[in-house]
Amino acid sequence: MKILVCISNVPDTTTKITFTPDGKEFNTAGVQFVINPYDEYALTRAIELKEAQGGTVTVLNVGEADTEPNIRKALAIGADDAIRVNIKPTDAFLVSQQIAHYAKEGGYDLILMGRESIDYNGFQVHGMVGELLGIPTIAPAIKLDVNGSTATVEREIEGGKEIIDVALPLVASAQQPMTEPRIPNMRGIMTARTKPLKVVEPVGQEAKTSVQHYELPPAKSGVKMIDAENAGDLIKLLRNEAKVL
Amino acid sequence: MSVLVVIECANGEVKKSSLEAASYGSKVAAALGTSATAVAIGDVQANALSSLGEQGVSKVLLDNDARLHDFVGAAYVKVIAKAAEQENSSVIVLSNSNIGAAIGSRLAVKMGASLATNVVSLPEISGASFKVRRGVFSGKAFSDVELTSDKKIIAVKKNALDIETSAGATATVENFSADLSDADFSTAPKETIKQSGDILLTEADLVVSGGRGLKGPENWHLIEDLAKALGAATACSKPVADIGWRPHHEHVGQTGITVSPNLYIAVGISGAIQHLAGVNSSKVIVVINKDPEAPFFKAADYGIVGDALEVVPKLIEAAKAL
Ligand SMILES: Cc1cc2nc3c(=O)[nH]c(=O)nc-3n(C[C@H](O)[C@H](O)[C@H](O)COP(=O)(O)OP(=O)(O)OC[C@H]3O[C@@H](n4cnc5c(N)ncnc54)[C@H](O)[C@@H]3O)c2cc1C
Ligand SMILES: Nc1ncnc2c1ncn2[C@@H]1O[C@H](COP(=O)(O)O)[C@@H](O)[C@H]1O
């Protein structure tokens, strides 16, 4: 089985988000970038499937050279090889075109992604890639098994889950509790250095959105403290002052 | 030209998030000098749809193919694309639910449209420019995005905008069919497992959430009882789900569910940045923590420093007396 895992490169979850003074760019100074946490579920599940059933795991990132440390990290966790499409990922459709093009070229049976990127929170790329390739997308997937040419996927729905049998090829996007994400071990880190990382040129390049401006939410005006002894007063305040009950 | 609103239904009713989408779509239609049409899919009858007139919708197309009661991406997309073509719609409005966002991304490719998900504002339209504000960086920031294609798809974040209601107005309901074939249902679920009785976390106006400060699952009844007394849904922090006190679909935060209720009550949760990312667009936040230095107090509107095991019973009592 040939599996493609798409990873995006995002600010570490503890990052305090700031922007350049003109509000046009995310301020990357001092920010540590990580593999998008949801994509770690996809990557680990892909490696588990490969270990159990044979095959290969390729990771793909659409991004500039500064994403390579995290691509190497994915190789250290257990992917076999990697592709980086050399373009800044400024728009979901632009990214999806790259992924669809190289996915088609590679002829993968399974394309795994994360539920959403935690920077631009699109929840878009998996659906767009599925549509571009004319194959189903199951998002968000909380469990995934493959049996021959069929996958069994559990999809989270509002207030429950559903179980779907679907023929490969397929795009699925992972979220917890799909599996326990792995961290690289020493041997993985050593072998990752020699695994192939191919840099390819972008195709298409048509963007359909453009970010004009970023802004931080207004600061909270301050917290009103209520004495624990009179905790019941809180309920009255919520009704009469905040008017939310 | 018209604005098309996608209406999700469950158990015979229009979801609240779809009422928000309808209200949003009508306002966009008014700004563009056109009308709003809705397309309804799912388990619903015509009589539950005519009241969408109250949100400014003039006409509702209903596809009541029973196979559409479960969400099936390809089939839904086909129905909506056909409705958009018939109505000559250049703007499509959906709710930013798992279903809405999944449809939106496929539809955007199919129609060659620009897509914005997680939208928190009405569009700013001037000449050919069409801009919306959306939540990014897991609720830690906003971005203003220009939708550059002629066709635009907007997925509206839940609870971000008010529902406008003009009482008594009705919409006409027309039957509609997209001639679906079996092949469109290749991802139909073979089984659906629903938790019954609970208020849906993603749809809830009020949420009571617990963290590791609850000490153990044996104390979870405090969260449940307070939620019940208020009519709220329950949620939890990530470690609480990781150690199995609660199921993972209740875990809110950067790697879990994002909620934006009117009221979020956090009990025994420290307020780590990853947790805040999932809740910081709630309208009112209440924090109950025995540690006065807990970071969550900085994001709170109301706070109580105290032991959850002592404070929450008092809240339950007061809530029951409302
Ligand atoms: C990549 C990554 C992603 C993450 N994603 C998420 C996420 O999506 N959601 C999430 O929630 N976390 C997430 N986390 C974890 C996050 O960093 C915190 O560890 C977590 O939110 C802490 O949960 P907690 O507040 O329940 O527990 P703790 O940090 O242990 O805090 C417990 C709190 O309860 C208080 N307390 C103790 N006893 C009592 C009592 N008797 N009465 C009242 N208060 C009491 C304590 O003072 C403390 O503030 C993530 C972490 C990482 C690294
Ligand atoms: N630049 C990128 N390169 C590779 N994969 C990406 C990129 N951006 C997003 N993805 C994948 O698409 C998923 C959904 O992203 P998004 O639509 O941006 O929320 C992510 O979890 C990744 O798996």
Side-chain angles (χ1 to χ4, degrees):
Chain A
M1 180 167 42
K2 288 188 73 178
I3 309 176
L4 181 70
V5 181
C6 302
I7 60 169
S8 72
N9 193 58
V10 299
D12 176 84
T13 55
T14 56
T15 306
K16 193 169 181 307
I17 302 298
T18 59
F19 301 102
T20 53
D22 62 2
K24 296 222 178 284
E25 301 264 354
F26 170 56
N27 187 358
T28 57
V31 172
Q32 164 142 24
F33 282 80
V34 296
I35 299 174
N36 186 37
Y38 292 112
D39 304 353
E40 292 190 356
Y41 293 99
L43 176 62
T44 305
R45 188 67 194 128
I47 295 165
E48 289 168 358
L49 288 169
K50 176 189 94 161
E51 286 168 354
Q53 310 188 2
T56 56
V57 175
T58 302
V59 289
L60 182 151
N61 169 260
V62 180
E64 295 177 308
D66 56 354
T67 69
E68 288 196 3
N70 282 325
I71 300 179
R72 287 278 172 215
K73 185 177 171 201
L75 292 169
I77 291 170
D80 299 291
D81 60 344
I83 302 170
R84 180 171 68 80
V85 186
N86 188 26
I87 186 170
K88 199 172 173 186
T90 52
D91 169 79
F93 183 69
L94 180 136
V95 168
S96 302
Q97 274 181 52
Q98 314 307 322
I99 296 175
H101 176 86
Y102 288 102
K104 198 166 191 175
E105 198 175 271
Y108 298 94
D109 304 296
L110 188 59
I111 302 172
L112 294 184
M113 305 194 188
R115 172 202 162 87
E116 65 188 67
S117 54
I118 63 163
D119 49 2
Y120 298 106
N121 300 105
F123 199 95
Q124 298 182 10
V125 170
H126 30 79
M128 288 186 175
V129 170
E131 187 70 22
L132 285 165
L133 294 172
I135 61 176
T137 300
I138 310 280
I142 52 177
K143 195 161 186 270
L144 169 74
D145 280 300
V146 176
N147 192 344
S149 60
T150 309
T152 300
V153 191
E154 284 186 16
R155 191 174 85 86
E156 185 192 70
I157 55 173
E158 272 121 17
K161 61 183 179 183
E162 53 190 30
I163 304 168
I164 304 161
D165 281 337
V166 53
L168 301 179
L170 168 75
V171 181
S173 63
Q175 73 171 41
Q176 71 288 346
M178 165 138 325
T179 185
E180 196 53 50
R182 289 188 195 176
I183 48 171
N185 58 28
M186 213 42 194
R187 211 180 84 83
I189 294 167
M190 299 303 287
T191 53
R193 291 190 193 144
T194 57
K195 287 179 178 173
L197 191 172
K198 192 165 79 178
V199 179
V200 297
E201 285 312 303
V203 296
Q205 293 197 33
E206 185 195 351
K208 293 191 178 287
T209 60
S210 107
V211 174
Q212 306 289 307
H213 184 75
Y214 290 104
E215 209 166 292
L216 295 171
K220 284 262 178 191
S221 56
V223 50
K224 185 167 196 165
M225 298 305 292
I226 294 120
D227 188 51
E229 287 305 311
N230 309 320
D233 291 353
L234 170 70
I235 300 294
K236 286 179 214 137
L237 285 168
L238 291 175
R239 164 159 287 185
N240 301 325
E241 187 180 84
K243 301 197 184 346
V244 288
L245 291 180
Chain B
M1 194 187 76
S2 77
V3 172
L4 185 70
V5 180
V6 178
I7 300 293
E8 292 175 42
C9 307
N11 310 318
E13 285 180 35
V14 173
K15 292 187 189 169
K16 177 180 169 245
S17 48
S18 288
L19 294 179
E20 292 170 0
S23 181
Y24 185 103
S26 303
K27 286 182 200 162
V28 178
L32 293 170
T34 175
S35 61
T37 300
V39 53
I41 317 182
D43 180 7
V44 71
Q45 299 301 318
N47 53 12
L49 292 169
S50 56
S51 65
L52 282 168
E54 296 192 342
Q55 278 72 52
V57 169
S58 48
K59 178 169 79 178
V60 186
L61 306 173
L62 170 62
D63 191 329
N64 50 19
D65 185 332
R67 294 175 296 179
L68 294 166
H69 287 188
D70 286 317
F71 170 64
V72 183
Y76 275 45
V77 167
K78 214 164 169 178
V79 172
I80 297 158
K82 185 172 174 203
E85 194 183 313
Q86 175 186 308
E87 299 298 315
N88 190 19
S89 309
S90 52
V91 178
I92 298 184
V93 179
L94 330 108
S95 157
N96 196 64
S97 59
N98 283 352
I99 291 177
I103 300 170
S105 53
R106 295 195 83 102
L107 204 58
V109 170
K110 203 180 177 87
M111 298 176 57
S114 295
L115 168 65
T117 51
N118 219 18
V119 170
V120 299
S121 79
L122 285 165
E124 206 178 288
I125 306 169
S126 88
S129 159
F130 191 105
K131 258 192 307 196
V132 288
R133 174 162 285 203
R134 55 185 301 270
V136 289
F137 292 101
S138 307
K140 295 176 200 165
F142 298 108
S143 75
D144 292 332
V145 184
E146 179 85 47
L147 304 185
T148 50
S149 301
D150 293 344
K151 291 183 177 161
K152 321 193 195 263
I153 302 178
I154 299 169
V156 185
K157 184 178 159 103
K158 291 177 191 177
N159 222 3
L161 293 137
D162 295 333
I163 301 173
E164 208 91 4
T165 304
S166 53
T170 58
T172 57
V173 182
E174 288 176 12
N175 279 326
F176 178 78
S177 162
D179 307 317
L180 299 166
S181 69
D182 285 348
D184 298 320
F185 290 90
S186 69
T187 62
K190 63 173 178 183
E191 194 184 340
T192 302
I193 299 159
K194 286 200 171 122
Q195 325 119 240
S196 53
D198 300 335
I199 297 171
L200 281 186
L201 179 54
T202 47
E203 294 270 313
D205 283 332
L206 311 172
V207 176
V208 180
S209 186
R212 217 147 44 175
L214 263 294
K215 304 290 186 230
E218 68 279 6
N219 294 323
W220 205 262
H221 65 93
L222 291 172
I223 299 294
E224 280 166 341
D225 290 349
L226 180 57
K228 203 161 179 192
L230 294 170
T234 60
C236 67
S237 68
K238 180 170 184 287
V240 163
D242 286 343
I243 49 187
W245 298 355
R246 300 299 302 165
H248 254 294
H249 62 251
E250 281 195 7
H251 134 210
V252 296
Q254 185 141 20
T255 53
I257 288 175
T258 303
V259 295
S260 45
N262 290 329
L263 174 63
Y264 184 80
I265 302 183
V267 184
I269 304 178
S270 57
I273 193 163
Q274 297 97 345
H275 186 85
L276 294 180
V279 306
N280 57 9
S281 53
S282 306
K283 293 217 170 84
V284 173
I285 294 180
V286 173
V287 171
I288 298 159
N289 197 303
K290 70 171 188 191
D291 174 9
E293 303 296 322
F296 219 148
F297 284 117
K298 288 203 181 70
D301 300 283
Y302 296 93
I304 299 179
V305 176
D307 186 337
L309 307 186
E310 289 162 21
V311 171
V312 178
K314 289 189 184 141
L315 298 180
I316 295 170
E317 205 179 301
K320 281 187 178 155
L322 274 182

